[in-house]
Amino acid sequence: MITPETTQDETSRLEELLSYNILDTLSERDYDNLTAIASTICETPISLISLLDDKRQWFKSNHGLSVKETPKEYAFCAHAIHNPNDVFIVPDSRQDIRFHDNPLVTGEPLVIFYAGVPLLSKNGAPLGTLCVIDHKPRELSENQVNSLKALANQVMILMEHRKKDKLLKETITELENSKKFQELIMNSIPGYLFVKDENFRLIQANSAFISLYPEQMKDKIIGYTTFEQYSDTEAEGFLKYDKQAFKEGRSEVYEAVNFPNGELKTVHTTKIRFEDENHHKFILGIAKDVTEKLEEEKVLSELYQIASSEGFTFDERMLATLEVGKEYFKLDLGIISEIIDTEYIVKHISENNEVQQNQVFEFKGTYCVHTFGANEVKSWHNVGKSEIAQHPCYENFGLDAYIGTTVFVNNEAYGTLNFTSVSDRRTPFSEREKYFMNMIAQFVGNEIVKEKHRKEREELINNLQKANSELEQFAYIATHDIKTPVINIDNYLNFLKEDTDIQNKYSKTAIEWIDKSIKQAQQTIGDLVLVTRERKQKNIELEDVILEEMFKLAKIDLQAEIQKSKAIIKTNFRKYPIIQYNKVKGQSLMLNLMSNAIKFRSPVKQLKIELQTEKVGEYICLSIKDNGMGINLKNDKEKVFGLFKRAHPRIPGSGIGLYMIKQSVENIGGKIEVESSKGKGSVFRVYFKV
């Protein structure tokens, strides 16, 4: 945070402020009305009239804020007065080095957005600001900035009148009766603004509101009630929320209104009660046209549902997308095309009796000849009165309204998305509609890419399944066809070993070498059988496996190795003693991991093995930690769980144990990981679903 500096002539400024005799006075409706208007115009929850003395900023009016003052060193306004002729705007204080750690930013009232207009005395001294504050980043429009300046000027007019000891009521009456000021405020507010009296008569309205009435009704707006402008049913609807605002101080409603000029709009209307100096009550109404916004939200929601629906085929998703576009643009026909050379191929089409899916047209005979490859949306709301009125598509099909754009797939022009109708549109397509056209086309392009990837994955899976099937068939043939002759050779070799008459020192060595090779071949065949069996076994029947029991069984099998290695083994299964697995596979897993820890122990350290369980997310994790030789994972990570691969090739082993564990655990939705450093030891973590 950067503490604000004092002004160059701070003493004179403070004297000027004190001359107004305004500090620590009671709140007044006249100032509160101005901050309420500022908050409404700028659409912010907080608006303040802030005055700065030597130690604090004090609020003459604090709309939307309960406190009356804050320390000067935290005041945004203390920065604003250094540029007395400019509006001081901080779009996002969290990104501003002057304020990012200011207590008013990090805590209540969460000053994220700030805009302040300095309040200047007649002598040009900055006394404080009229400011607006929001809890989120934002910007102000030019009209809103101008209105804020005008309101700041009105604050100073009030203060000058007070200084001159003029009657406040006279000043407010003059101010509120200033037609120019009221028109400025009314016409600066976005949307339709109006004021009604206690008899529910319109007494003021901005130009946007007046535009909702046809010319012949312009003299029946001000001074009239809605009962004289709408049907009784519609007028009763307006009256309900007028009464609520008068009674409760505020009302708010979303409503579909058929305005007198024939336009049907969905508007969000807010009505706020206020009083004049004579305590006469009025309501200020602000209505915003949210028709396009709601339609756009509906489109986005429907596209999301289409994309996320697992029950839709690709063709069904494309058809549903076209129906969404038809409804949004209010047109009859939607088409997704693919353009190949001179052909326009209808890949997807909304329900239609004349054009069919995969029907081919001459590309130059379609409106899309103007659209394909272009970097913008092309549209005509009345083709018959446009520059393309002689186009063959209009002459042959009579399509009078068109909007279309290029569909890109993997950044290459694929085809077009277009919506058409035989009836023209009353108004041209808006920029918002063109924006949404591009958005729908992007959605279509993404769906086409997803479908291509799906087909590629499907083809890959089919090829892998075929390859796996062929591999399993080969493994079966290999183990069956090779196993029998190897057994025969082994039997004959045993006969030779027993017949001492035919043995000499050379044949004895050869027999031992052949015997060793036979045993190795038998081991490899056995391993291959195990791997093939494991790969086929997809559905393992799960049961409660008590880890302490598995450990004890493994310890019995490894008793000799444990004694020889002098291993110190510790276990901690207390918190999570049971996993969901298979007992036979559980015993094999425990035996394999403990055996590896013993086999790959360090030759210079006493072996220590620690086994424990813990909860990790949706898993029970069994970890086996040792201080053995460790593994260089940078070079040998793929070997750890690879089939017939070993990280320590000089130490005997088959290279299938960890591969089998990985296959078995993954088959039940689990996983296995390793953490290891060469010379420091390893930790194997096996995760079982809870």
Side-chain angles (χ1 to χ4, degrees):
M1 186 183 82
I2 298 177
T3 303
E5 298 178 357
T6 56
T7 58
Q8 289 183 349
D9 197 359
E10 182 69 358
T11 303
S12 297
R13 189 191 72 81
L14 291 173
E15 289 176 356
E16 188 85 3
L17 173 63
L18 293 173
S19 70
Y20 285 84
N21 292 314
I22 191 172
L23 292 175
D24 297 312
T25 58
L26 297 174
S27 58
E28 300 175 45
R29 182 184 300 113
D30 307 304
Y31 291 99
D32 292 342
N33 283 343
L34 292 175
T35 52
I37 291 171
S39 186
T40 301
I41 290 173
C42 297
E43 300 176 293
T44 61
I46 298 173
S47 177
L48 308 170
I49 295 174
S50 172
L51 301 170
L52 293 153
D53 63 16
D54 59 332
K55 294 181 180 178
R56 59 176 178 156
Q57 65 170 344
W58 176 81
F59 307 130
K60 175 60 181 172
S61 178
N62 50 329
H63 179 82
L65 190 67
S66 59
V67 299
K68 291 293 292 184
E69 63 182 55
T70 63
K72 187 177 180 179
E73 60 264 32
Y74 300 155
F76 283 53
C77 300
H79 291 270
I81 63 174
H82 286 282
N83 298 289
N85 297 317
D86 297 327
V87 180
F88 185 75
I89 298 177
V90 181
D92 188 348
S93 60
R94 298 168 301 182
Q95 307 300 321
D96 195 311
I97 192 172
R98 296 168 296 180
F99 307 108
H100 67 98
D101 56 351
N102 188 312
L104 301 181
V105 174
T106 59
E108 294 295 329
L110 295 177
V111 182
I112 305 303
F113 166 80
Y114 171 93
V117 180
L119 300 173
L120 306 179
S121 70
K122 285 189 175 181
N123 298 324
L127 309 178
T129 68
L130 170 65
C131 64
V132 292
I133 293 169
D134 206 341
H135 309 308
K136 59 186 178 182
R138 55 171 306 153
E139 298 283 353
L140 294 181
S141 69
E142 184 178 350
N143 282 339
Q144 288 171 322
V145 171
N146 290 336
S147 297
L148 198 59
K149 289 180 179 179
L151 288 171
N153 186 48
Q154 296 306 318
V155 172
M156 286 311 305
I157 289 174
L158 283 176
M159 290 176 65
E160 292 293 341
H161 278 294
R162 172 71 73 186
K163 186 176 181 180
K164 294 175 181 179
D165 202 24
K166 288 187 177 182
L167 294 174
L168 183 59
K169 289 183 181 180
E170 231 176 86
T171 305
I172 298 298
T173 301
E174 179 184 347
L175 187 63
E176 291 185 344
N177 289 337
S178 171
K179 185 176 180 180
K180 185 177 181 180
F181 172 71
Q182 290 180 348
E183 287 180 353
L184 171 65
I185 299 301
M186 298 284 280
N187 291 320
S188 295
I189 298 175
Y192 313 111
L193 187 143
F194 56 90
V195 177
K196 289 184 179 183
D197 63 17
E198 291 180 284
N199 295 316
F200 309 109
R201 294 186 181 279
L202 280 166
I203 61 170
Q204 199 167 0
N206 68 352
S207 56
F209 186 90
I210 299 296
S211 70
L212 296 172
Y213 293 79
E215 194 63 37
Q216 63 270 23
M217 288 186 66
K218 294 293 172 69
D219 58 346
K220 292 186 177 181
I221 302 174
I222 304 302
Y224 289 82
T225 70
T226 50
F227 282 95
E228 296 165 288
Q229 301 164 342
Y230 291 87
S231 69
D232 288 349
T233 302
E234 291 174 311
E236 284 289 348
F238 298 136
L239 183 63
K240 173 184 176 182
Y241 294 99
D242 290 347
K243 289 179 177 179
Q244 182 182 345
F246 274 117
K247 181 180 179 181
E248 301 176 9
R250 181 186 179 90
S251 68
E252 191 172 351
V253 64
Y254 284 87
E255 54 191 344
V257 181
N258 193 358
F259 287 103
N261 64 358
E263 292 186 76
L264 177 63
K265 297 178 181 290
T266 301
V267 292
H268 174 215
T269 306
T270 303
K271 298 174 182 178
I272 303 171
R273 184 188 65 214
F274 68 96
E275 297 181 7
D276 66 7
E277 75 281 2
N278 296 316
H279 302 292
H280 294 144
K281 292 182 175 64
F282 302 87
I283 54 171
L284 169 68
I286 303 174
K288 295 181 181 179
D289 183 358
V290 295
T291 308
E292 280 193 358
K293 179 183 176 183
L294 293 178
E295 288 179 350
E296 290 165 2
E297 289 177 352
K298 181 183 178 184
V299 169
L300 291 173
S301 174
E302 290 175 338
L303 291 180
Y304 173 78
Q305 291 177 8
I306 292 169
S308 58
S309 175
E310 297 181 358
F312 279 5
T313 64
F314 173 66
D315 286 344
E316 288 170 340
R317 288 200 301 276
M318 293 298 93
L319 178 60
T321 302
L322 292 173
E323 293 299 326
V324 169
K326 275 175 52 182
E327 184 177 353
Y328 176 71
F329 294 112
K330 305 295 188 293
L331 297 175
D332 299 334
L333 182 67
I335 295 177
I336 298 168
S337 72
E338 183 178 8
I339 311 298
I340 301 177
D341 297 328
T342 61
E343 293 184 338
Y344 174 95
I345 306 168
V346 179
K347 300 300 291 184
H348 305 277
I349 185 169
S350 59
E351 293 185 7
N352 181 272
N353 294 325
E354 298 181 5
V355 181
Q356 303 298 320
Q357 187 175 10
N358 295 321
Q359 191 169 344
V360 180
F361 293 89
E362 189 178 15
F363 177 45
K364 66 181 181 181
T366 68
Y367 291 144
C368 293
V369 72
H370 299 286
T371 302
F372 184 63
N375 292 322
E376 60 181 353
V377 174
K378 296 291 186 179
S379 65
W380 292 271
H381 71 289
N382 189 334
V383 174
K385 295 181 180 179
S386 73
E387 72 278 10
I388 63 167
Q390 305 303 316
H391 195 282
C393 192
Y394 182 68
E395 293 179 348
N396 295 332
F397 300 101
L399 299 174
D400 215 351
Y402 170 91
I403 183 169
T405 191
T406 304
V407 173
F408 289 92
V409 174
N410 292 328
N411 296 320
E412 293 185 359
Y414 166 86
T416 62
L417 168 69
N418 64 85
F419 297 93
T420 57
S421 179
V422 293
S423 303
D424 63 349
R425 274 175 48 123
R426 188 172 63 177
T427 57
F429 292 91
S430 68
E431 291 303 314
R432 288 297 298 171
E433 288 177 310
K434 291 178 182 179
Y435 167 80
F436 261 78
M437 184 67 186
N438 270 330
M439 189 197 70
I440 298 172
Q442 185 177 357
F443 174 82
V444 168
N446 290 340
E447 287 298 312
I448 292 173
V449 170
K450 284 165 57 179
E451 178 64 10
K452 285 190 173 187
H453 289 170
R454 186 194 66 79
K455 288 182 177 179
E456 289 171 358
R457 286 195 304 272
E458 191 176 83
E459 183 179 359
L460 178 61
I461 290 170
N462 288 336
N463 290 338
L464 287 174
Q465 288 176 341
K466 182 179 179 182
N468 283 338
S469 177
E470 291 171 350
L471 180 62
E472 288 173 1
Q473 186 177 5
F474 165 77
Y476 172 78
I477 293 171
T479 55
H480 183 270
D481 291 359
I482 296 174
K483 190 174 183 180
T484 300
V486 167
I487 290 172
N488 291 336
I489 294 172
D490 187 43
N491 290 334
Y492 182 66
L493 189 64
N494 289 330
F495 169 76
L496 292 177
K497 286 160 66 178
E498 293 172 0
D499 192 344
T500 55
D501 294 337
I502 63 172
Q503 290 189 33
N504 56 43
K505 63 177 181 179
Y506 300 108
S507 63
K508 186 176 181 181
T509 301
I511 290 170
E512 289 175 352
W513 180 84
I514 295 170
D515 184 49
K516 183 178 179 182
S517 298
I518 290 295
K519 294 294 187 290
Q520 186 175 356
Q522 288 176 327
Q523 178 66 44
T524 301
I525 292 169
D527 290 344
L528 191 58
V529 170
L530 289 174
V531 170
T532 304
R533 187 181 301 152
E534 185 64 46
R535 288 172 64 91
K536 286 183 176 181
Q537 190 173 5
K538 298 298 182 183
N539 298 317
I540 299 173
E541 187 175 342
L542 299 180
E543 57 187 323
D544 287 346
V545 175
I546 301 173
L547 291 169
E548 189 65 37
E549 291 181 0
M550 297 299 103
F551 169 71
K552 289 178 179 178
L553 291 172
K555 192 174 179 182
I556 292 171
D557 289 343
L558 296 170
Q559 190 63 41
E561 288 88 342
I562 293 172
Q563 289 177 353
K564 182 180 178 182
S565 65
K566 298 180 180 179
I568 299 173
I569 304 175
K570 296 181 180 180
T571 63
N572 184 1
F573 305 134
R574 289 191 300 274
K575 286 187 177 180
Y576 303 98
I578 298 174
I579 59 171
Q580 287 294 301
Y581 198 31
N582 175 273
K583 288 182 180 178
V584 174
K585 292 183 180 295
Q587 184 177 350
S588 175
L589 179 149
M590 187 74 73
L591 183 65
N592 191 291
L593 292 175
M594 287 180 62
S595 174
N596 281 353
I598 296 170
K599 183 189 300 183
F600 302 112
R601 62 186 180 273
S602 169
V604 296
K605 291 183 290 186
Q606 183 174 16
L607 177 60
K608 295 180 181 179
I609 304 173
E610 297 178 10
L611 298 90
Q612 67 174 23
T613 53
E614 60 181 328
K615 181 81 179 296
V616 180
E618 59 177 338
Y619 298 97
I620 299 296
C621 175
L622 167 65
S623 63
I624 295 90
K625 179 180 179 182
D626 66 63
N627 63 342
M629 298 169 63
I631 305 166
N632 184 346
L633 293 179
K634 185 176 181 180
N635 298 328
D636 298 326
K637 187 173 183 179
E638 292 185 1
K639 294 180 180 179
V640 176
F641 299 109
L643 179 60
F644 298 126
K645 293 183 179 180
R646 290 178 289 153
H648 299 286
R650 294 183 180 181
I651 297 177
S654 64
I656 71 165
L658 291 175
Y659 173 84
M660 298 278 285
I661 291 174
K662 184 173 184 293
Q663 291 290 315
S664 174
V665 170
E666 288 180 352
N667 281 346
I668 62 166
K671 57 184 179 178
I672 182 170
E673 298 174 347
V674 62
E675 179 183 331
S676 186
S677 296
K678 192 170 183 179
K680 294 183 179 180
S682 304
V683 182
F684 283 87
R685 295 184 178 91
V686 189
Y687 296 85
F688 300 90
K689 280 283 187 71
V690 177

